[in-house]
Amino acid sequence: MEPVRCTVEIEEGRLAGGTGRYEKRLSDLHGIYADEAAFAALLASGDPVVYAVEDLKPTLGAGDMIFGITRMAPGRVGEEYFVTRGHIHAVANRPEIYYGESGAGLMLLESPDGEIRIVEIGPKTVCYVPPYWIHRSVNVGAEDLVMTFAYPADSGQDYDIIARAGGMRQRIVADGATGWRAVDNAAYRPRDAAEVERVFATAA
């Protein structure tokens, strides 16, 4: 593998020189938001791209790194802000770094046993996601949230850990003014000891 130079194009939310791209539209996020009627109404008016990711994956081997850029659109489903699907790393002791390029967002983090942490992300802000933490990005601003990220190449992603629990333990909603607040997720089901143990057993 040769050294590579990529350029972060902030306004476009692109990684020039990257090799991969995917996007998630609203229809891909069915079941994530609490207000199903608001979700259906918004989807009926179109199927917007909620977020797109461009990255470079040199290899998937241990010791290598994947990096890229995420661009999240502003918006809400009912009172709940647009979010990513969220995940824990399949090899759960792998960390991740996010760097805010533009916009206003949050990283919603949850430990396997349900502790919540919220990290605000703005321009020139670094968010460190430690090993073993589930994490989900949230755009709480009126403009695109653009972040660069990097994580070990052998990390993988486990999205189903969130679905099995009925979502993350808290949701991020508008506070009725110009800010946000975290509220409990009524559908949340705490993980039992066996599932928590399985998370820690994935460490390589």
Side-chain angles (χ1 to χ4, degrees):
M1 184 69 191
E2 290 291 322
V4 174
R5 177 183 184 271
C6 295
T7 303
V8 175
E9 299 178 351
I10 297 174
E11 290 186 5
E12 295 81 11
R14 296 195 61 249
L15 183 72
T19 55
R21 185 182 192 279
Y22 69 88
E23 62 184 28
K24 293 295 179 185
R25 294 182 174 272
L26 184 64
S27 58
D28 297 315
L29 304 177
H30 182 268
I32 287 180
Y33 299 98
D35 191 335
E36 294 182 1
F39 179 89
L42 186 58
L43 188 59
S45 65
D47 193 11
V49 175
V50 175
Y51 63 98
V53 175
E54 297 192 6
D55 60 20
L56 180 72
K57 298 178 179 176
T59 73
L60 299 180
D64 213 334
M65 291 195 69
I66 294 169
F67 63 92
I69 188 165
T70 299
R71 179 182 183 178
M72 291 190 68
R76 298 200 316 242
V77 176
E79 293 303 306
E80 194 171 354
Y81 286 103
F82 276 1
V83 299
T84 60
R85 290 176 64 193
H87 63 273
I88 195 170
H89 290 147
V91 183
N93 68 345
R94 301 302 194 254
E96 189 160 359
I97 289 287
Y98 289 83
Y99 177 81
E101 300 284 3
S102 65
L106 308 173
M107 192 64 62
L108 177 63
L109 300 107
E110 180 184 319
S111 69
D113 58 1
E115 291 186 57
I116 290 288
R117 302 288 186 271
I118 298 173
V119 178
E120 295 188 78
I121 299 178
K124 300 183 179 180
T125 301
V126 178
C127 173
Y128 169 62
V129 177
Y132 302 109
W133 283 83
I134 300 160
H135 46 288
R136 164 176 282 169
S137 304
V138 188
N139 186 348
V140 296
E143 302 175 348
D144 285 346
L145 172 64
V146 179
M147 302 176 291
T148 50
F149 61 83
Y151 59 92
D154 64 343
S155 300
Q157 286 87 26
D158 175 1
Y159 299 99
D160 291 338
I161 191 172
I162 297 175
R164 288 194 299 271
M168 295 185 73
R169 190 170 68 79
Q170 290 190 331
R171 300 179 181 276
I172 305 299
V173 300
D175 69 357
T178 58
W180 59 270
R181 62 190 176 99
V183 298
D184 288 339
N185 173 13
Y188 180 74
R189 301 181 296 273
R191 297 172 189 87
D192 61 25
E195 179 153 22
V196 173
E197 184 177 346
R198 281 195 295 272
V199 170
F200 289 98
T202 65

